[in-house]
Amino acid sequence: MPEKKQDARVRYTKMMIRNSLLELLSTKPIAKITVTEICERAGINRATFYAHYSDPSDLLHGLESEIIEDVTHWVRPALTASGTDLKEVLTRLVEYIGENADICSILLSDKGDNSFQTKVVDVIEGQFMSSWASARQLSQEDAEYVYTFVALGSVGLIRKWLADGRKKPASEIADLIIKISNACLLYTSPS
């Protein structure tokens, strides 16, 4: 029984540490954040911080890994299932980002780790690039360029949606991403 209380305390402590990091990331980049600042905001001592993380970057990478794991958990099966509706997958992805706006807006911002955007893009790319390229009659190389353009443009669109306070529903953002992607693909399709 005491073990459960300890687990709850550990979860609470980690939550406070993470929230402190997110608050600090909203004002400055990870390279400028110190363990002392995180500890002061979280109301803990440095030993407690170091019991869970080696430094602020380790904490940030842990947060990123959790998001990537969540996205991977439900996006990969949806993308590999037959009869998958792209709008449904994108809507679910945008909804997930909206539900986790506090962390996603920071991780996708200039103050987050730039490699995070690449990781998010890579989660989806590996699942459907070859079939997507052949369906569009594009070479693998051209498909990779087009995919990168569409994916990073989609990230930019989602960043704007988050910055604007998520005024539009996730389904409208998914529709917009699909429309822009289709327009891009029409332009790049062989004539």
Side-chain angles (χ1 to χ4, degrees), residues 112-158:
D113 182 358
N114 288 337
S115 69
F116 177 72
Q117 290 178 28
T118 304
K119 291 174 191 171
V120 170
V121 168
D122 289 348
V123 165
I124 299 169
E125 178 181 20
Q127 294 301 306
F128 77 103
M129 180 55 77
S130 59
S131 63
W132 185 69
S134 64
R136 300 290 178 196
Q137 298 177 342
L138 293 171
S139 70
Q140 186 68 26
E141 181 182 19
D142 286 350
E144 288 172 7
Y145 281 112
V146 172
Y147 175 80
T148 300
F149 178 81
V150 168
L152 293 178
S154 298
V155 169
L157 193 147
I158 290 170

Side-chain angles (χ1 to χ4, degrees), residues 1-147:
M1 192 74 152
E3 197 168 278
K4 286 188 179 184
K5 285 185 179 182
Q6 183 181 19
D7 288 347
R9 284 190 301 248
V10 169
R11 283 193 307 274
Y12 178 76
T13 299
K14 284 185 170 185
M15 180 190 70
M16 294 303 294
I17 293 169
R18 290 172 183 180
N19 289 345
S20 297
L21 177 68
L22 292 175
E23 289 173 16
L24 290 163
L25 280 171
S26 68
T27 61
K28 58 183 166 179
I30 188 69
K32 302 279 184 185
I33 296 174
T34 67
V35 171
T36 302
E37 291 173 306
I38 294 170
C39 291
E40 286 174 359
R41 282 188 184 257
I44 61 168
N45 61 43
R46 293 171 61 87
T48 302
F49 178 89
Y50 288 119
H52 303 289
Y53 308 101
S54 61
D55 59 29
S57 291
D58 179 40
L59 171 56
L60 178 62
H61 292 302
L63 291 170
E64 291 172 347
S65 294
E66 287 176 22
I67 298 291
I68 295 295
E69 189 177 307
D70 285 351
V71 169
T72 302
H73 180 71
W74 63 265
V75 168
R76 281 195 176 153
L79 287 174
T80 56
S82 61
T84 297
D85 179 12
L86 180 60
K87 181 183 176 191
E88 181 183 327
V89 172
L90 280 174
T91 300
R92 288 176 58 199
L93 179 60
V94 175
E95 285 172 347
Y96 174 84
I97 291 168
E99 289 166 6
N100 295 281
D102 57 338
I103 187 169
C104 288
S105 59
I106 290 170
L107 293 178
L108 292 173
S109 77
D110 296 334
K111 292 182 179 78
D113 182 358
N114 288 337
S115 69
F116 177 72
Q117 290 178 28
T118 304
K119 291 174 191 171
V120 170
V121 168
D122 289 348
V123 165
I124 299 169
E125 178 181 20
Q127 294 301 306
F128 77 103
M129 180 55 77
S130 59
S131 63
W132 185 69
S134 64
R136 300 290 178 196
Q137 298 177 342
L138 293 171
S139 70
Q140 186 68 26
E141 181 182 19
D142 286 350
E144 288 172 7
Y145 281 112
V146 172
Y147 175 80

